[in-house]
Amino acid sequence: EDKVVQSPLSLVVHEGDTVTLNCSYEVTNFRSLLWYKQEKKAPTFLFMLTSSGIEKKSGRLSSILDKKELFSILNITATQTGDSAVYLCAGPNNAGNMLTFGGGTRLMVKP
Amino acid sequence: DAGVTQSPTHLIKTRGQHVTLRCSPISGHKSVSWYQQVLGQGPQFIFQYYEKEERGRGNFPDRFSARQFPNYSSELNVNALLLGDSALYLCASSLHGRNTGELFFGEGSRLTVL
């Protein structure tokens, strides 16, 4: 059974801090790993990672994958209050018909 | 462009009742998936439909059922509601049946069972 574990469960930082969120996964026949941001209800897509060592970057957010260690990190630099959200990591199953999500990391950025 | 739309946004039911949740995918998307998100947890897969056929089913009891219509919209039905069915029900659409990439989620239907 596919498994995705995120850490930490929650995090409180101040504006301007840098944070690192972790995702470890055990999936059969790795295809990709995805990061989503969930502010209120709808998770919104951030990154899809398919290859080790290649950093994906979007503004202050970046993510990298280590396929050997079955691990991914999401970095947010110069955090802002708008970054407060739950960050979800997910992997598709072998059939490609579902995503297995981790429990999420709840990030709170204080002014 | 309209994203994934779900209705109703909130609803309250009592134990034993039945509920129907509706979802319209992004125009052109043929795949619809349903996820249950209990407070404090990540979304859990319930069903995937592609071209009106069930392509995947998660570990949920038979009280949960779904269907996809010719216009690719979808309904999730839950019978004999239990307190534990209280959750945010998310619908997601994608172009293709194989979800190796990005899913587009709706705002969800928050169900409270009393």
Side-chain angles (χ1 to χ4, degrees):
Chain A
E1 186 177 313
D2 295 349
K3 189 176 178 183
V4 178
V5 178
Q6 293 185 245
S7 64
L9 288 178
S10 64
L11 198 52
V12 180
V13 300
H14 288 93
E15 275 192 317
D17 288 349
T18 294
V19 297
T20 298
L21 310 182
N22 306 301
C23 175
S24 64
Y25 61 91
E26 296 173 21
V27 296
T28 309
N29 282 349
F30 175 83
R31 295 181 181 276
S32 60
L33 190 134
L34 301 103
W35 284 95
Y36 284 84
K37 177 183 181 182
Q38 187 175 27
E39 291 182 77
K40 289 181 181 176
K41 288 186 176 181
T44 54
F45 173 79
L46 293 175
F47 297 112
M48 181 173 72
L49 303 160
T50 56
S51 301
S52 275
I54 297 176
E55 184 183 46
K56 290 283 184 92
K57 200 168 171 66
S58 175
R60 297 176 293 102
L61 277 67
S62 63
S63 184
I64 197 161
L65 177 71
D66 185 333
K67 283 169 75 171
K68 185 178 176 184
E69 299 297 328
L70 305 180
F71 194 81
S72 175
I73 60 172
L74 175 68
N75 279 317
I76 308 175
T77 58
T79 52
Q80 301 171 358
T81 55
D83 295 327
S84 296
V86 174
Y87 290 85
L88 297 162
C89 172
N93 67 342
N94 190 36
N97 59 2
M98 63 169 281
L99 291 180
T100 297
F101 282 87
T105 293
R106 181 173 295 277
L107 173 66
M108 180 182 293
V109 181
K110 291 187 171 181
Chain B
D1 285 345
V4 177
T5 57
Q6 292 187 242
S7 64
T9 54
H10 295 84
L11 67 166
I12 299 173
K13 294 283 187 178
T14 56
R15 280 177 296 176
Q17 285 189 312
H18 162 92
V19 69
T20 297
L21 308 178
R22 296 178 175 84
C23 171
S24 292
I26 291 172
S27 177
H29 284 195
K30 297 180 179 180
S31 173
V32 169
S33 300
W34 289 94
Y35 288 79
Q36 181 197 63
Q37 188 175 24
V38 172
L39 199 62
Q41 297 181 20
Q44 188 173 0
F45 174 74
I46 310 175
F47 286 109
Q48 190 217 12
Y49 276 79
Y50 178 68
E51 290 281 18
K52 292 158 284 183
E53 289 188 5
E54 182 183 302
R55 289 294 186 92
R57 184 186 181 112
N59 189 23
F60 280 82
D62 291 344
R63 299 184 296 107
F64 288 76
S65 63
R67 55 180 175 167
Q68 186 177 33
F69 299 100
N71 66 352
Y72 302 111
S73 67
S74 177
E75 280 183 357
L76 175 70
N77 294 284
V78 187
N79 292 323
L81 285 167
L82 304 174
L83 295 179
D85 295 330
S86 295
L88 180 67
Y89 288 84
L90 294 164
C91 174
S93 76
S94 62
L95 268 173
H96 306 296
R98 292 187 70 82
N99 292 324
T100 55
E102 181 181 359
L103 287 182
F104 296 84
F105 283 89
E107 291 291 317
S109 294
R110 184 164 296 283
L111 171 65
T112 301
V113 182
L114 301 176

